[in-house]
Amino acid sequence: MRPHPLEPAARTVLRLEKVTRQYAQADQPLVILKEADFAMNAGETVALVAPSGAGKSTLLHVAGLLERAEEGDVFLRGEPCGGLSDARRTAMRRSDIGFVYQFHHLLPEFTAAENIMMPQMIAGLKQPQAQERAEQLLDYMRIGHRGHHRPAELSGGEQQRVAIARAVANAPSILLADEPTGNLDPETAGYVFEALEALVRQSGLAALIATHNHEIANRMDRRVTLQDGRVVDY
Ligand SMILES: Nc1ncnc2c1ncn2[C@@H]1O[C@H](COP(=O)(O)OP(=O)(O)OP(=O)(O)O)[C@@H](O)[C@H]1O
């Protein structure tokens, strides 16, 4: 249904509508998401807390256009994405969505700054501008002095802060994070998460963060879980 012309502009940046995602098995398919509905507004932070194997990563992959739903659709800023070509989905993902994973997945042969410059230059930015933004982001994450180091020369917390900076390098409107602090000790997890939260709040990103950490979940605007393949608030 079209919004009324006098309504304020829709603030929903991500919406899943009756999304079903299943994996083929020998006997019957393994259904992970079943007619799942979910919506997230600009600037909203949402924690996704569910037991291991419940489908958190699957939900993030479908929401992030890395996997296609068998049924239902994903809407990015109102645009239905299910029927789009792989190339178009990749373009939308690159411009609109940042991903952070449990492991940093930084390119080992490049410095921290270069890792953050890479997605910007793929998006067409010139090297000096990409470098300036990388340096700003490193400063913001309080690791400005580590920009010339390669990932192997950084601590786990520093590596993850570089990964977060890289995820937002192209100024996406949505951040999807899969256990972003799951590989860190509790103290490091705490300060990495603080940096992530500050960045999200400051930039007005909508963030969906899968986590087993209830302290982190409690700091989000909203908490959701997966129940029988559906997304429910708790
Ligand atoms: N490609 C695949 N083929 C078959 N089954 C899969 C595939 N990917 C995931 N699964 C299954 O789907 C279920 C949900 O997996 P998913 O990784 O989404 O869970 P999760 O909640 O993120 O778990 P964790 O907290 O352990 O990371 C699991 O039972 C998993 O084994």
Side-chain angles (χ1 to χ4, degrees):
M1 202 173 65
R2 279 173 177 277
H4 188 277
L6 295 181
E7 272 180 21
R11 281 173 36 85
T12 303
V13 286
L14 172 69
R15 187 158 65 86
L16 273 65
E17 197 179 276
K18 292 197 181 323
V19 162
T20 295
R21 178 77 182 105
Q22 55 194 27
Y23 295 111
Q25 285 188 139
D27 41 8
Q28 58 184 34
L30 178 66
V31 181
I32 308 299
L33 301 174
K34 190 173 163 44
E35 299 190 345
D37 293 326
F38 174 71
M40 192 160 64
N41 289 334
E44 189 178 30
T45 59
V46 182
L48 172 59
V49 184
S52 186
K56 300 182 295 298
S57 301
T58 303
L59 177 69
L60 292 173
H61 291 165
V62 172
L65 309 184
L66 287 166
E67 290 180 28
R68 287 179 189 268
E70 275 80 27
E71 289 166 33
D73 210 343
V74 175
F75 298 77
L76 265 195
R77 293 203 262 148
E79 183 172 355
C81 299
L84 300 177
S85 67
D86 286 348
R88 177 77 188 119
R89 284 164 63 91
T90 301
M92 287 178 84
R93 189 167 62 239
R94 283 201 181 132
S95 65
D96 252 344
I97 302 175
F99 285 94
V100 182
Y101 298 94
Q102 181 170 357
F103 300 100
H104 58 77
H105 298 299
L106 297 170
L107 297 170
E109 65 274 30
F110 292 97
T111 66
E114 287 165 348
N115 267 279
I116 303 169
M117 290 161 65
M118 199 81 66
Q120 301 179 73
M121 293 176 68
I122 290 171
L125 218 66
K126 293 272 184 293
Q127 200 252 353
Q129 285 80 26
Q131 184 160 355
E132 192 182 337
R133 180 155 169 84
E135 284 167 7
Q136 283 170 351
L137 285 166
L138 284 164
D139 277 343
Y140 192 84
M141 299 304 278
R142 296 175 193 229
I143 43 173
H145 57 299
R146 309 297 273 163
H148 59 287
H149 288 274
R150 292 199 167 78
E153 298 160 352
L154 302 174
S155 72
E158 288 168 343
Q159 290 167 346
Q160 205 56 342
R161 279 184 282 171
V162 176
I164 292 166
R166 178 184 57 178
V168 301
N170 283 339
S173 50
I174 298 164
L175 184 75
L176 300 175
D178 199 349
E179 293 280 355
T181 60
N183 193 36
L184 304 172
D185 65 75
E187 194 187 341
T188 308
Y191 69 68
V192 168
F193 183 74
E194 267 168 35
L196 171 64
E197 190 182 22
L199 186 77
V200 164
R201 303 271 184 207
Q202 196 259 348
S203 59
L205 272 167
L208 178 59
I209 300 175
T211 180
H212 288 289
N213 185 325
H214 288 274
E215 249 174 67
I216 285 176
N218 287 337
R219 289 163 62 158
M220 304 287 96
D221 298 329
R222 188 151 62 93
R223 283 154 293 283
V224 298
T225 189
L226 286 163
Q227 225 166 58
D228 303 324
R230 291 189 168 83
V231 184
V232 292
D233 287 17
Y234 80 94

